[in-house]
Amino acid sequence: MRIALCLASVVLASCGRQPVTYAEARKIVDLRCVECHSSQPTNRAFPFAVMGVKLDTPEQMRQYAARMQKRVVEEKTMPIANMSGMTEEERRILGRWIEAGSPIR
């Protein structure tokens, strides 16, 4: 029965887990990404948002969700040289948020 419920789950990114909320994803993005991907980056090496990618708003996070999936979750090439110290668990959480449709409400 549990297997059937897990297979039938469309909303949950992984069996038995609650969907990741925007607030949880936002926390990670604020901690690991906005120092370079913001309208006002705090990383001195990047006076402008890297590649024009800004993650200041919920809508911007949703706009770049597919790119985050590829670069952050799959390829692990972001953060660049992992200079902000993103953990594997944080990558999994962001991936689950994206898989759930990148909800912002």
Side-chain angles (χ1 to χ4, degrees):
M1 175 90 169
R2 180 164 167 75
I3 293 172
L5 289 174
C6 290
L7 293 174
S9 175
V10 176
V11 177
L12 299 180
S14 62
C15 183
R17 292 192 176 179
Q18 293 296 315
V20 173
T21 65
Y22 167 74
E24 292 170 297
R26 172 89 258 162
K27 215 180 275 189
I28 295 167
V29 168
D30 284 346
L31 183 62
R32 307 297 185 193
C33 308
V34 296
E35 72 178 72
C36 300
H37 293 289
S38 174
S39 57
Q40 298 180 336
T42 57
N43 187 309
R44 293 158 86 197
F46 304 107
F48 303 100
V50 177
M51 303 293 290
V53 174
K54 297 174 188 168
L55 301 172
D56 298 312
T57 69
E59 294 77 18
Q60 288 169 328
M61 279 180 56
R62 179 183 277 164
Q63 174 185 353
Y64 290 107
R67 196 169 183 174
M68 290 168 58
Q69 174 67 31
K70 182 175 182 180
R71 300 292 305 275
V72 175
V73 179
E74 295 170 13
E75 296 175 351
K76 300 178 184 172
T77 55
M78 281 287 135
I80 204 162
N82 201 19
M83 70 167 89
S84 64
M86 183 176 281
T87 67
E88 289 301 313
E89 180 62 14
E90 289 168 330
R91 292 178 195 281
R92 281 190 289 275
I93 291 168
L94 281 177
R96 287 179 41 225
W97 175 73
I98 294 164
E99 288 174 7
S102 310
I104 58 174
R105 305 245 183 278

